[in-house]
Amino acid sequence: MSAIVPPLWVRLCHWTNAAVFAVMLGSGWQVYNADPFWIGSFPRYLTLGGSLPGALLWHFAGMWLLAANGLVAVSLLLLSGRLRRLYLSPDAGHDGHGRSRVQQLAYLGVLCLLTMMFLSGLAIWKPVQLQWLTQAFGGYQMARQAHFMCMALLTVFACGHISLALLSPRLLLAMLGIRK
């Protein structure tokens, strides 16, 4: 049985997110290395930007692309009914896509994590202009720690997601637009 090939917009948003996530992760780790707070520094070969100013340039460029892509993806998910159909309806697990309730909750959790990443990122990017938001996190350092924790959870999700994709080549091929 072949996997259902998602619409082109889903695949484009997915692969854009994958590339931008790699940029955000590498540059974010370089930013973290400028002032580590929980763990030691990340190895230089895993970072992007070469220095704090370079990493910030990469991180902000990725931020705008991720925000634009996220806006497009969420808008299309809502307008097409795909969000409700695949993830929110009680019988969503029986739609022919083979998604388990655990997968549905994981993807909804990712949307929540991305929202928290966005808000904590704004709080640490503009702590004076968005004092109310920074204070909602408990201050600048707490917002930074929330941002880091969300990054760690998203990285764990991404590792699991990639592992499962490699274990199910037909689904990976479907995300590449290949019917098999």
Side-chain angles (χ1 to χ4, degrees), residues 59-91:
H59 209 67
F60 293 147
M63 169 191 74
W64 290 113
L65 186 54
L66 188 63
N69 192 53
L71 187 61
V72 167
V74 170
S75 296
L76 290 172
L77 280 169
L78 291 170
L79 290 172
S80 69
R82 191 174 176 87
L83 180 67
R84 180 190 44 74
R85 195 172 57 255
L86 296 183
Y87 300 107
L88 300 177
S89 71
D91 59 343

Tab-separated table of all heavy atoms in Angstrom, residues 59-91:
chain	number	residue	atom	x	y	z
A	59	HIS	N	20.304	33.871	13.004
A	59	HIS	CA	19.124	33.553	13.804
A	59	HIS	C	17.948	34.463	13.429
A	59	HIS	O	16.820	33.991	13.280
A	59	HIS	CB	19.461	33.684	15.295
A	59	HIS	CG	18.659	32.784	16.173
A	59	HIS	ND1	18.776	31.415	16.148
A	59	HIS	CD2	17.719	33.060	17.115
A	59	HIS	CE1	17.952	30.881	17.036
A	59	HIS	NE2	17.286	31.867	17.633
A	60	PHE	N	18.208	35.757	13.266
A	60	PHE	CA	17.130	36.677	12.908
A	60	PHE	C	16.633	36.429	11.481
A	60	PHE	O	15.429	36.515	11.222
A	60	PHE	CB	17.560	38.127	13.084
A	60	PHE	CG	17.806	38.504	14.526
A	60	PHE	CD1	18.779	39.420	14.855
A	60	PHE	CD2	17.072	37.935	15.555
A	60	PHE	CE1	19.005	39.769	16.182
A	60	PHE	CE2	17.285	38.276	16.885
A	60	PHE	CZ	18.262	39.201	17.196
A	61	ALA	N	17.535	36.104	10.566
A	61	ALA	CA	17.101	35.781	9.203
A	61	ALA	C	16.213	34.535	9.224
A	61	ALA	O	15.148	34.500	8.592
A	61	ALA	CB	18.318	35.557	8.297
A	62	GLY	N	16.649	33.528	9.962
A	62	GLY	CA	15.843	32.317	10.091
A	62	GLY	C	14.518	32.587	10.773
A	62	GLY	O	13.482	32.025	10.397
A	63	MET	N	14.549	33.461	11.769
A	63	MET	CA	13.336	33.800	12.523
A	63	MET	C	12.257	34.345	11.581
A	63	MET	O	11.098	33.929	11.647
A	63	MET	CB	13.679	34.836	13.593
A	63	MET	CG	12.493	35.479	14.269
A	63	MET	SD	12.966	36.911	15.275
A	63	MET	CE	13.306	38.133	14.017
A	64	TRP	N	12.639	35.269	10.709
A	64	TRP	CA	11.643	35.868	9.810
A	64	TRP	C	11.117	34.843	8.814
A	64	TRP	O	9.914	34.815	8.518
A	64	TRP	CB	12.235	37.069	9.083
A	64	TRP	CG	12.453	38.223	10.004
A	64	TRP	CD1	13.648	38.753	10.386
A	64	TRP	CD2	11.450	38.958	10.710
A	64	TRP	NE1	13.451	39.780	11.287
A	64	TRP	CE2	12.113	39.934	11.501
A	64	TRP	CE3	10.069	38.899	10.760
A	64	TRP	CZ2	11.428	40.829	12.307
A	64	TRP	CZ3	9.383	39.795	11.573
A	64	TRP	CH2	10.070	40.742	12.332
A	65	LEU	N	11.996	34.000	8.307
A	65	LEU	CA	11.554	32.971	7.361
A	65	LEU	C	10.646	31.953	8.055
A	65	LEU	O	9.611	31.550	7.513
A	65	LEU	CB	12.769	32.277	6.733
A	65	LEU	CG	12.482	31.270	5.631
A	65	LEU	CD1	11.626	31.869	4.527
A	65	LEU	CD2	13.787	30.750	5.054
A	66	LEU	N	11.022	31.547	9.270
A	66	LEU	CA	10.201	30.598	10.023
A	66	LEU	C	8.839	31.206	10.349
A	66	LEU	O	7.805	30.533	10.230
A	66	LEU	CB	10.919	30.177	11.303
A	66	LEU	CG	10.277	29.048	12.097
A	66	LEU	CD1	10.255	27.760	11.294
A	66	LEU	CD2	11.024	28.839	13.405
A	67	ALA	N	8.814	32.468	10.741
A	67	ALA	CA	7.541	33.133	11.058
A	67	ALA	C	6.655	33.223	9.815
A	67	ALA	O	5.456	32.926	9.877
A	67	ALA	CB	7.798	34.525	11.640
A	68	ALA	N	7.228	33.606	8.684
A	68	ALA	CA	6.447	33.712	7.440
A	68	ALA	C	5.937	32.341	7.011
A	68	ALA	O	4.755	32.183	6.670
A	68	ALA	CB	7.305	34.334	6.337
A	69	ASN	N	6.809	31.345	7.059
A	69	ASN	CA	6.410	29.997	6.673
A	69	ASN	C	5.355	29.451	7.639
A	69	ASN	O	4.398	28.795	7.223
A	69	ASN	CB	7.634	29.071	6.630
A	69	ASN	CG	7.328	27.750	5.971
A	69	ASN	OD1	6.825	27.699	4.860
A	69	ASN	ND2	7.627	26.673	6.674
A	70	GLY	N	5.520	29.732	8.916
A	70	GLY	CA	4.547	29.284	9.910
A	70	GLY	C	3.189	29.924	9.685
A	70	GLY	O	2.150	29.259	9.797
A	71	LEU	N	3.188	31.205	9.358
A	71	LEU	CA	1.935	31.902	9.083
A	71	LEU	C	1.228	31.294	7.871
A	71	LEU	O	0.018	31.063	7.895
A	71	LEU	CB	2.211	33.391	8.863
A	71	LEU	CG	1.008	34.300	8.732
A	71	LEU	CD1	0.154	34.261	9.994
A	71	LEU	CD2	1.466	35.733	8.468
A	72	VAL	N	1.989	31.021	6.828
A	72	VAL	CA	1.427	30.388	5.628
A	72	VAL	C	0.887	29.000	5.977
A	72	VAL	O	-0.249	28.654	5.627
A	72	VAL	CB	2.488	30.291	4.504
A	72	VAL	CG1	2.029	29.372	3.378
A	72	VAL	CG2	2.820	31.677	3.966
A	73	ALA	N	1.683	28.210	6.685
A	73	ALA	CA	1.279	26.836	7.010
A	73	ALA	C	0.034	26.795	7.884
A	73	ALA	O	-0.912	26.058	7.590
A	73	ALA	CB	2.437	26.099	7.697
A	74	VAL	N	0.021	27.583	8.955
A	74	VAL	CA	-1.141	27.575	9.855
A	74	VAL	C	-2.373	28.100	9.128
A	74	VAL	O	-3.466	27.549	9.271
A	74	VAL	CB	-0.843	28.365	11.148
A	74	VAL	CG1	-2.100	28.578	11.969
A	74	VAL	CG2	0.208	27.629	11.975
A	75	SER	N	-2.211	29.140	8.326
A	75	SER	CA	-3.344	29.676	7.563
A	75	SER	C	-3.916	28.609	6.631
A	75	SER	O	-5.137	28.411	6.570
A	75	SER	CB	-2.922	30.898	6.742
A	75	SER	OG	-2.521	31.939	7.591
A	76	LEU	N	-3.040	27.926	5.917
A	76	LEU	CA	-3.506	26.890	4.989
A	76	LEU	C	-4.074	25.677	5.726
A	76	LEU	O	-5.027	25.061	5.254
A	76	LEU	CB	-2.380	26.484	4.034
A	76	LEU	CG	-2.011	27.556	3.008
A	76	LEU	CD1	-0.755	27.169	2.234
A	76	LEU	CD2	-3.169	27.815	2.048
A	77	LEU	N	-3.494	25.335	6.868
A	77	LEU	CA	-4.054	24.250	7.680
A	77	LEU	C	-5.487	24.572	8.102
A	77	LEU	O	-6.367	23.715	8.056
A	77	LEU	CB	-3.203	23.994	8.924
A	77	LEU	CG	-1.941	23.169	8.743
A	77	LEU	CD1	-1.078	23.237	10.001
A	77	LEU	CD2	-2.279	21.731	8.401
A	78	LEU	N	-5.711	25.817	8.512
A	78	LEU	CA	-7.049	26.234	8.940
A	78	LEU	C	-8.007	26.354	7.757
A	78	LEU	O	-9.123	25.833	7.794
A	78	LEU	CB	-6.972	27.558	9.695
A	78	LEU	CG	-6.299	27.505	11.063
A	78	LEU	CD1	-6.061	28.915	11.602
A	78	LEU	CD2	-7.118	26.683	12.041
A	79	LEU	N	-7.566	27.046	6.698
A	79	LEU	CA	-8.436	27.276	5.541
A	79	LEU	C	-8.805	25.989	4.814
A	79	LEU	O	-9.925	25.862	4.313
A	79	LEU	CB	-7.768	28.253	4.568
A	79	LEU	CG	-7.662	29.695	5.053
A	79	LEU	CD1	-6.817	30.526	4.099
A	79	LEU	CD2	-9.044	30.307	5.227
A	80	SER	N	-7.892	25.051	4.745
A	80	SER	CA	-8.160	23.794	4.041
A	80	SER	C	-8.947	22.808	4.900
A	80	SER	O	-9.443	21.808	4.390
A	80	SER	CB	-6.834	23.144	3.617
A	80	SER	OG	-6.133	22.678	4.774
A	81	GLY	N	-9.028	23.067	6.204
A	81	GLY	CA	-9.692	22.124	7.109
A	81	GLY	C	-8.796	20.970	7.514
A	81	GLY	O	-9.209	20.070	8.239
A	82	ARG	N	-7.569	21.000	7.053
A	82	ARG	CA	-6.635	19.905	7.316
A	82	ARG	C	-6.305	19.776	8.811
A	82	ARG	O	-6.194	18.662	9.313
A	82	ARG	CB	-5.362	20.127	6.502
A	82	ARG	CG	-4.411	18.967	6.465
A	82	ARG	CD	-3.263	19.258	5.502
A	82	ARG	NE	-2.306	18.204	5.514
A	82	ARG	CZ	-2.361	17.106	4.765
A	82	ARG	NH1	-3.381	16.943	3.934
A	82	ARG	NH2	-1.439	16.175	4.844
A	83	LEU	N	-6.175	20.888	9.517
A	83	LEU	CA	-5.866	20.838	10.946
A	83	LEU	C	-6.972	20.104	11.702
A	83	LEU	O	-6.710	19.182	12.470
A	83	LEU	CB	-5.686	22.247	11.509
A	83	LEU	CG	-5.360	22.327	12.989
A	83	LEU	CD1	-3.982	21.738	13.275
A	83	LEU	CD2	-5.418	23.761	13.480
A	84	ARG	N	-8.204	20.490	11.444
A	84	ARG	CA	-9.341	19.851	12.113
A	84	ARG	C	-9.466	18.385	11.703
A	84	ARG	O	-9.616	17.505	12.530
A	84	ARG	CB	-10.626	20.619	11.784
A	84	ARG	CG	-11.887	20.040	12.417
A	84	ARG	CD	-13.164	20.669	11.869
A	84	ARG	NE	-13.214	20.855	10.429
A	84	ARG	CZ	-13.395	19.881	9.535
A	84	ARG	NH1	-13.518	18.638	9.926
A	84	ARG	NH2	-13.439	20.155	8.252
A	85	ARG	N	-9.383	18.142	10.410
A	85	ARG	CA	-9.587	16.798	9.875
A	85	ARG	C	-8.524	15.804	10.356
A	85	ARG	O	-8.839	14.686	10.728
A	85	ARG	CB	-9.590	16.884	8.342
A	85	ARG	CG	-10.130	15.679	7.647
A	85	ARG	CD	-10.301	15.893	6.132
A	85	ARG	NE	-9.085	16.276	5.437
A	85	ARG	CZ	-8.827	17.506	4.998
A	85	ARG	NH1	-9.686	18.487	5.181
A	85	ARG	NH2	-7.701	17.776	4.366
A	86	LEU	N	-7.261	16.224	10.353
A	86	LEU	CA	-6.187	15.286	10.673
A	86	LEU	C	-5.802	15.246	12.143
A	86	LEU	O	-5.240	14.253	12.605
A	86	LEU	CB	-4.936	15.611	9.854
A	86	LEU	CG	-5.055	15.457	8.348
A	86	LEU	CD1	-3.739	15.750	7.676
A	86	LEU	CD2	-5.558	14.076	7.972
A	87	TYR	N	-6.076	16.331	12.872
A	87	TYR	CA	-5.546	16.383	14.237
A	87	TYR	C	-6.566	16.669	15.328
A	87	TYR	O	-6.306	16.377	16.484
A	87	TYR	CB	-4.421	17.427	14.323
A	87	TYR	CG	-3.285	17.100	13.396
A	87	TYR	CD1	-3.070	17.831	12.242
A	87	TYR	CD2	-2.450	16.017	13.656
A	87	TYR	CE1	-2.044	17.513	11.379
A	87	TYR	CE2	-1.425	15.697	12.794
A	87	TYR	CZ	-1.223	16.448	11.659
A	87	TYR	OH	-0.214	16.121	10.803
A	88	LEU	N	-7.702	17.247	14.992
A	88	LEU	CA	-8.618	17.669	16.048
A	88	LEU	C	-9.905	16.859	16.134
A	88	LEU	O	-10.525	16.821	17.185
A	88	LEU	CB	-8.969	19.159	15.884
A	88	LEU	CG	-7.790	20.116	15.941
A	88	LEU	CD1	-8.242	21.535	15.696
A	88	LEU	CD2	-7.065	19.999	17.266
A	89	SER	N	-10.324	16.246	15.041
A	89	SER	CA	-11.587	15.514	15.096
A	89	SER	C	-11.406	14.213	15.876
A	89	SER	O	-10.329	13.615	15.860
A	89	SER	CB	-12.113	15.241	13.689
A	89	SER	OG	-11.314	14.280	13.036
A	90	PRO	N	-12.461	13.760	16.576
A	90	PRO	CA	-12.363	12.546	17.400
A	90	PRO	C	-11.980	11.302	16.598
A	90	PRO	O	-11.336	10.409	17.106
A	90	PRO	CB	-13.760	12.385	17.991
A	90	PRO	CG	-14.471	13.656	17.740
A	90	PRO	CD	-13.767	14.376	16.642
A	91	ASP	N	-12.366	11.248	15.330
A	91	ASP	CA	-12.046	10.067	14.518
A	91	ASP	C	-10.878	10.331	13.578
A	91	ASP	O	-10.699	9.647	12.588
A	91	ASP	CB	-13.273	9.617	13.722
A	91	ASP	CG	-13.794	10.702	12.798
A	91	ASP	OD1	-13.437	11.875	13.000
A	91	ASP	OD2	-14.562	10.369	11.885
